[in-house]
Amino acid sequence: MSPSKTTPATSDQTRPLEVGTRHWRVVDIVVAAVLGVACGLIFWIWNSIGYAWYSAMGALLPGLGGIAAGIWYLGGTLGAQVIRKPGAAIFVELVAAIVSALIGNAWGIETLTSGLFQGIGAEIIFLIFRYRAWSLPVTLLAGAFAGFGAWANELFIGSTPNIAKSFGYNAVYLVSNLVSGAVLAGLLAWLLTKALARTGVLSRFASGREA
């Protein structure tokens, strides 16, 4: 048989996909799910600690409570940083919200809407950079936009939408959410990804090979 008619070799489906590809592998789905569950447990723990801080800050200045909310946005930024595939921010944040709601919290089904908006906020930034930029500044921006997503959700959705509150309240709440998202979701996700990468557990991911 001539070389021109040789049957092409079948690609090795067990190999990790090349860096930059946007196709999800089984390992991506599994790790994203694990991250979602882990973040959901973090959210559940933070429900008490964070809400106490939220209430204390809100007592100092109406709207300032948003400064404590950033931990609840961590799933989106961490998921995107580790997986580095389209949809990872939304997937992990939404799974985390589902886990938090199933375990039990004060917000019930509204937690899922919050998770969706927060995940979309982070996802938008990584999309703008075409899933090619994973630097600290980009991750800080993604965390801030997760905070914007949370602010937008609470502005219109829920039993007491914030649109009914004063302009001053909503302005302070927006700024505090942006700052909290950048630090507690953006910076923390970036640091956690670097720490995980150094252990070698992310060796099958671009995030692990760049550590």
Side-chain angles (χ1 to χ4, degrees):
M1 183 180 292
S2 65
S4 62
K5 294 184 179 181
T6 302
T7 303
T10 303
S11 60
D12 183 356
Q13 297 299 317
T14 65
R15 293 180 58 195
L17 299 180
E18 297 300 322
V19 176
T21 185
R22 299 184 181 183
H23 298 292
W24 281 63
R25 303 165 295 169
V26 173
V27 68
D28 297 326
I29 298 171
V30 171
V31 171
V34 170
L35 287 174
V37 172
C39 288
L41 294 174
I42 292 172
F43 293 176
W44 179 68
I45 295 170
W46 193 248
N47 287 342
S48 298
I49 301 170
Y51 191 70
W53 186 15
Y54 179 98
S55 299
M57 293 296 99
L60 291 177
L61 177 66
L64 190 59
I67 204 71
I71 290 294
W72 288 308
Y73 316 150
L74 179 62
T77 49
L78 182 61
Q81 262 290 336
V82 171
I83 307 299
R84 300 192 175 183
K85 301 288 175 66
I90 296 173
F91 181 94
V92 175
E93 184 70 25
L94 193 53
V95 169
I98 292 170
V99 170
S100 177
L102 288 176
I103 294 174
N105 60 40
W107 304 281
I109 195 67
E110 291 179 15
T111 306
L112 307 189
T113 308
S114 297
L116 180 61
F117 273 70
Q118 291 154 197
I120 289 174
E123 191 78 41
I124 285 173
I125 298 303
F126 296 114
L127 173 62
I128 289 173
F129 286 91
R130 302 175 64 186
Y131 302 99
R132 293 179 178 176
W134 306 99
S135 64
L136 177 57
V138 171
T139 312
L140 293 175
L141 188 59
F145 261 67
F148 176 80
W151 177 85
N153 172 66
E154 294 181 46
L155 187 65
F156 298 109
I157 298 176
S159 56
T160 55
N162 286 341
I163 191 71
K165 298 180 181 179
S166 69
F167 174 81
Y169 173 91
N170 282 294
V172 172
Y173 193 51
L174 172 59
V175 173
S176 61
N177 268 277
L178 294 176
V179 172
S180 184
V183 176
L184 297 181
L187 176 60
L188 185 55
W190 191 82
L191 292 174
L192 283 174
T193 302
K194 295 298 181 184
L196 287 171
R198 285 194 290 271
T199 69
V201 299
L202 302 181
S203 59
R204 297 195 66 188
F205 297 87
S207 54
R209 294 189 288 272
E210 292 177 6

